[in-house]
Amino acid sequence: FFTRCESINLGEANCRLYYSQRPNGFWMEPEPLLFFDEATNFGQPTLIENDSVLIFSASPKGSDGTYDLFYSVRLENGWSEAEIMPAPINTAGNENFPTSFKDTLYFASDFHIGYGGLDIFKTYLRPDGTWAPVQNLGYPINSGADDFGLAIKPGFTASGDVELEGYFASARNTGFGDDIFSFTIFKPEDTTDEKDEPVAEEPVKVYDIYLAGRVVGLVRENDDPNAAVKDVINLDDAYIRMKFDGQELGLRTNPQGRFIEKLELGKNYDIIASKVDYLNAGTVVSTIFKNGLIRDTTINIEIPLEKIIYDTEIILENIYYDFDKWDIRDDARPSLDTLSQLLDLNPQLTIQLSSHTDCRGELEFNNELSQKRAQSAVSYLSEKGIDPNRLVAKGYGETSPAIPCPCDSCTEEEHQVNRRTTFKILKDRQD
C-alpha cells in the first residue's frame, strides 16, 4: 500500500492510495483504492490488527481543508467504505502520517496539545473497541518544529534495557528542511531497592508555552459576503501583531499560513492578524492558568479573515425595530457591537449603514422611517466610540427589495427578508 501523486486526465494532481500484490516474486500493476472521489487527497496508508484494518490520512472534498485519519476493514472481496476515526484521535487540525507497531497506533497532529507544529502522538485499541487517550511522545522526539512520520525499526525486538528503537522526520534543524532522526527509548530504571536512600530534591521544572497559529482566508460562493463559506485557504505572509503589558511583537506567517511564538506565563495577549485585501481580525490568548502548568504546552488557534468586498450590502442579522419606531432594541445590540469591534480592528474603513422596509405603507413614510432607522444605528456606533466621519446613514425605504415580489403577492417571509439593515464598505466616501 502506498501513495502516488499524479494528474488524472490532465486534471489537478492529487495524491491517491494504491496497492500492489506480489504473488510469484513479481510486483503486479498497482491498482487504486477508490474510497472517495478523485478530488480527494490521500496519504500515508498503514495496516493494523493483523493487517485487517487499513488506516490512512485524507482531506475529502467539502471538508475544511484539513486532514483526518480514516479506516477501512478488509472484506473477502476488497475493503469496506472508509469511516472517519473518532474524536479522541481526530481534531479540528491536521492528523496524518499514521504508522503502527503491535497494538499501538502512532500519528502526527498539529492540534493536540504539543510543542508546536506537528507532534507525534500514540494511542491503542482497547479490548472494548475504544481508543485509549491520545498521548504525546514528549521531548526529545517532539520539538517546537514539525515532527512526524515515526517508524519502528524493522524486526525490532525489545531486549535488555532497550524498549523501542526507530526513526522519525523533523524540521528542527532550521534551514535544512526535513531530516531523518533515529531514536532509542530505554526502559525505566528499577528503583525498588532505593526506597530508603536519601533523595535529592528536584529543582522546580519550568515549562514552556507556545502559541501555534494559522491564518486562513474564507472563500465564499461567488465572493458574496452573505453566502456560506465553501472553502478556506492558507494565507502566507500575513502580519501578526501580539500586544501584551504595553509591549508589541510582530511576526509573519509562513507559506502554510502558520506561525509559532513562545509566550510568557501569566499574561493576556491581544492577537491581530492582517493581510492585504482582507479585513483584520483578532482574538485574545491567555496564559493565566489557575493551577499552573504541569507540562510544556502549545496553544493552538486559527484566525479566519474575510475578503474586503466593496460596495456590496452585508446583512446585519437580528436587527429588528418595533412597529413604526426606529430606536435600537436590546436584541439588536449584539449585532451592532460585533460591527463596532470590526470597525475598531479596521480603522481604515468607511461604511454605509442602510435600512430597508417592506413594500407595505406609503412610499414617503417608508423612506423617512428607514432613514431614521439607519441614523439610529449610526448614532449607536458613534456612542461606542466609532468616528462619525467613518459612518454614512442611508434609508432606502421600499425602493431596493432583496426579493422583488409584487407587493400583494409577497409572503410574510419575503416581507421579513426585505425588512433588513445592512452595511457596505465604501471604496470612496459617499454623502
Side-chain angles (χ1 to χ4, degrees):
F1 296 86
F2 63 95
T3 306
R4 173 182 288 172
C5 303
E6 61 182 349
S7 175
I8 303 295
N9 298 326
L10 301 180
E12 184 180 352
N14 287 309
C15 298
R16 298 174 176 84
L17 299 183
Y18 286 81
Y19 72 98
S20 179
Q21 299 178 347
R22 193 171 70 162
N24 299 308
F26 297 96
W27 288 105
M28 298 176 65
E29 184 66 21
E31 295 185 39
L33 285 165
L34 303 176
F35 289 118
F36 300 115
D37 56 37
E38 290 186 354
T40 298
N41 269 309
F42 295 87
Q44 310 98 38
T46 191
L47 291 164
I48 64 170
E49 295 292 296
N50 296 319
D51 297 348
S52 65
V53 177
L54 180 70
I55 294 179
F56 56 88
S57 179
S59 179
K61 185 178 179 181
S63 66
D64 61 1
T66 60
Y67 283 80
D68 288 312
L69 296 187
F70 293 78
Y71 72 94
S72 174
V73 178
R74 188 191 294 271
L75 306 175
E76 289 185 7
N77 58 347
W79 294 88
S80 69
E81 290 187 8
E83 300 282 350
I84 193 167
M85 298 195 74
I89 295 174
N90 286 316
T91 68
N94 291 287
E95 279 71 45
N96 41 27
F97 300 99
T99 58
S100 65
F101 180 69
K102 295 185 176 178
D103 64 346
T104 302
L105 174 69
Y106 299 92
F107 65 96
S109 173
D110 61 5
F111 201 87
H112 283 290
I113 293 176
Y115 296 81
L118 288 168
D119 276 9
I120 301 172
F121 297 82
K122 69 177 182 179
T123 181
Y124 62 90
L125 194 60
R126 295 184 286 206
D128 63 359
T130 61
W131 290 92
V134 170
Q135 181 181 346
N136 189 305
L137 292 193
Y139 180 84
I141 290 180
N142 286 320
S143 67
D146 284 334
D147 306 289
F148 57 96
L150 181 140
I152 305 304
K153 188 174 182 180
F156 171 79
T157 302
S159 61
D161 60 349
V162 176
E163 190 173 273
L164 205 60
E165 285 184 310
Y167 311 91
F168 65 96
S170 178
R172 67 187 64 189
N173 283 353
T174 304
F176 295 93
D178 299 329
D179 293 319
I180 298 174
F181 293 78
S182 63
F183 70 89
T184 300
I185 296 177
F186 295 94
K187 296 177 181 177
E189 292 184 12
D190 186 357
T191 59
T192 53
D193 296 332
E194 302 175 7
K195 287 182 179 178
D196 298 329
E197 294 290 328
V199 178
E201 219 176 283
E202 290 190 11
V204 176
K205 171 67 176 174
V206 178
Y207 295 103
D208 293 328
I209 311 173
Y210 292 91
L211 175 67
R214 182 171 73 142
V215 180
V216 298
L218 301 181
V219 180
R220 296 182 183 273
E221 293 282 353
N222 302 318
D223 274 346
D224 180 358
N226 299 299
V229 175
K230 69 173 184 178
D231 198 4
V232 295
I233 56 174
N234 297 327
L235 295 181
D236 67 317
D237 202 36
Y239 184 66
I240 309 298
R241 275 188 299 155
M242 302 175 58
K243 297 181 179 181
F244 61 101
D245 289 353
Q247 304 177 57
E248 184 170 319
L249 172 70
L251 57 153
R252 298 273 180 181
T253 57
N254 68 11
Q256 289 74 46
R258 297 184 181 277
F259 64 92
I260 186 167
E261 184 65 28
K262 190 174 181 180
L263 304 182
E264 297 179 29
L265 182 64
K267 300 189 181 301
N268 289 317
Y269 291 81
D270 288 315
I271 315 293
I272 300 174
S274 59
K275 172 82 174 176
V276 175
D277 297 327
Y278 287 85
L279 293 170
N280 300 345
T283 188
V284 176
V285 171
S286 176
T287 59
I288 302 173
F289 301 107
K290 183 178 179 181
N291 298 316
L293 284 177
I294 59 173
R295 63 176 67 86
D296 289 337
T297 300
T298 298
I299 300 172
N300 293 279
I301 63 170
E302 182 174 276
I303 305 177
L305 302 186
E306 292 275 7
K307 241 183 177 180
I308 297 178
I309 307 295
Y310 291 102
D311 298 325
T312 299
E313 284 198 335
I314 302 171
I315 297 172
L316 286 168
E317 301 291 345
N318 302 319
I319 303 292
Y320 303 117
Y321 299 88
D322 290 328
F323 181 69
D324 282 355
K325 293 187 177 180
W326 52 86
D327 52 304
I328 301 298
R329 293 182 359 181
D330 288 343
D331 55 4
R333 295 176 188 274
S335 187
L336 289 173
D337 289 344
T338 300
L339 179 57
S340 174
Q341 293 167 9
L342 174 70
L343 292 169
D344 274 334
L345 288 170
N346 295 271
Q348 79 283 10
L349 296 184
T350 298
I351 68 166
Q352 175 180 295
L353 277 149
S354 308
S355 181
H356 302 262
T357 67
D358 61 39
C359 58
R360 293 173 293 190
E362 295 296 328
L363 179 63
E364 186 176 344
F365 175 82
N366 284 339
N367 287 341
E368 183 180 350
L369 179 62
S370 63
Q371 182 64 37
K372 289 179 177 178
R373 287 177 172 177
Q375 186 58 52
S376 68
V378 165
S379 299
Y380 181 87
L381 292 173
S382 298
E383 291 170 4
K384 301 291 288 186
I386 304 301
D387 184 351
N389 292 319
R390 299 171 58 197
L391 307 171
V392 178
K394 179 68 173 177
Y396 285 91
E398 60 189 74
T399 62
S400 183
I403 303 177
C405 53
C407 196
D408 292 339
S409 303
C410 291
T411 65
E412 189 53 47
E413 290 75 16
E414 290 170 331
H415 283 309
Q416 177 62 62
V417 171
N418 287 334
R419 292 194 304 270
R420 66 198 188 279
T421 298
T422 65
F423 77 94
K424 61 182 176 183
I425 301 169
L426 302 178
K427 196 161 192 175
D428 299 303
R429 173 62 192 261
Q430 300 174 5
D431 295 317

